[in-house]
Amino acid sequence: MRSAVMTPDAIPVLSAGRHRNPRKGACFMEMASFLAGERWSDHPSCTHPLLAGLARMVNDVLPDSERGRIAPLIPDVVGLDGSSVEVDIAITVRAAAAAMPVAGGDRQNVMACALTTCERLLDDRGTSQPELRALIREARLSAPGATAWARSYSSSDLVSERTFRRRTAPHIVRYAVDGLAVACTDDAHDRLVALLADTIADVSARCPDTTGLREGGDQAPVPGRSTPSRVTASA
């Protein structure tokens, strides 16, 4: 359930890591806890745990000169939570698909296996999820060698939803963000910003809006918040 969001008059200056209190600085999720009216924490209850983990990682790997680009996205994660495993699948697919085209060889193999795992979970649930399946197809085309390796290596056993949520998905998301951060490409920072923005959009589409704070809602815009607030990677 999404709660009312308190939006600051100015975009905050974010810094890496955890901070004991606002005087020491703030990371992405600590600011989200403040906007949600929760106790100061980088693990607030207002956001899906896996999405919050992705946000913390992107916050920490971006350099100081680039971190401000994700600040406008902070209000968008407040109240984004869902109980369906499909939310975890969507986050994992988005992260793996973003990293696979530019990550190193070993990481590509891991991402390819992750996409296979997510695809099998979708099949087992009998859900089509055409957007996620399109992401999987495109990622596989970007790294045919890793795709072939994953098909020969991946076990036919289906990972349980419990194991996927507790262990597999967090591991893959962290590996994907790390892979993007060290990728030999000039637009790594753009890709990280786009990953967070696109993942927030994915989760938002799968979580009910109970506050009218999203675009198109009946509630008046929140003062100080631009419309739309989504950040996209620069060309």
Side-chain angles (χ1 to χ4, degrees), residues 61-141:
V61 299
L62 284 174
D64 293 343
S65 60
E66 297 285 336
R67 194 174 294 112
R69 296 173 62 187
I70 64 174
L73 292 169
I74 297 172
D76 293 343
V77 305
V78 176
L80 277 190
D81 198 2
S83 58
S84 173
V85 71
E86 290 179 16
V87 176
D88 300 77
I89 295 172
I91 296 170
T92 305
V93 168
R94 178 65 69 177
M100 195 163 166
V102 296
D106 290 342
R107 291 183 190 271
Q108 281 187 335
N109 291 343
V110 174
M111 296 302 106
C113 287
L115 292 175
T116 297
T117 297
C118 290
E119 187 176 50
R120 288 173 178 168
L121 285 170
L122 291 175
D123 291 342
D124 184 64
R125 293 178 60 81
T127 56
S128 57
Q129 296 290 330
E131 301 89 350
L132 297 184
R133 293 182 187 274
L135 282 174
I136 292 172
R137 287 194 300 271
E138 292 171 9
R140 284 172 171 165
L141 289 174

Side-chain angles (χ1 to χ4, degrees), residues 67-217:
R67 194 174 294 112
R69 296 173 62 187
I70 64 174
L73 292 169
I74 297 172
D76 293 343
V77 305
V78 176
L80 277 190
D81 198 2
S83 58
S84 173
V85 71
E86 290 179 16
V87 176
D88 300 77
I89 295 172
I91 296 170
T92 305
V93 168
R94 178 65 69 177
M100 195 163 166
V102 296
D106 290 342
R107 291 183 190 271
Q108 281 187 335
N109 291 343
V110 174
M111 296 302 106
C113 287
L115 292 175
T116 297
T117 297
C118 290
E119 187 176 50
R120 288 173 178 168
L121 285 170
L122 291 175
D123 291 342
D124 184 64
R125 293 178 60 81
T127 56
S128 57
Q129 296 290 330
E131 301 89 350
L132 297 184
R133 293 182 187 274
L135 282 174
I136 292 172
R137 287 194 300 271
E138 292 171 9
R140 284 172 171 165
L141 289 174
S142 73
T147 299
W149 184 89
R151 285 173 176 162
S152 63
Y153 174 82
S154 296
S155 169
S156 59
D157 295 336
L158 183 68
V159 175
S160 70
E161 291 185 4
R162 179 185 177 89
T163 298
F164 179 78
R165 298 177 103 161
R166 290 196 170 191
R167 298 176 55 189
T168 307
H171 172 74
I172 294 304
V173 169
R174 176 170 294 281
Y175 213 53
V177 172
D178 287 345
L180 283 169
V182 300
C184 296
T185 176
D186 293 336
D187 62 348
H189 300 154
D190 292 342
R191 290 174 183 267
L192 285 163
V193 174
L195 169 59
L196 182 56
D198 290 340
T199 305
I200 291 171
D202 288 343
V203 177
S204 180
R206 290 167 173 79
C207 294
D209 181 11
T210 59
T211 65
L213 291 176
R214 295 185 194 159
E215 291 177 38

Side-chain angles (χ1 to χ4, degrees), residues 3-22:
S3 57
V5 178
M6 300 181 296
T7 306
D9 294 332
I11 294 177
V13 176
L14 302 179
S15 54
R18 298 176 63 183
H19 306 83
R20 182 173 299 178
N21 56 59

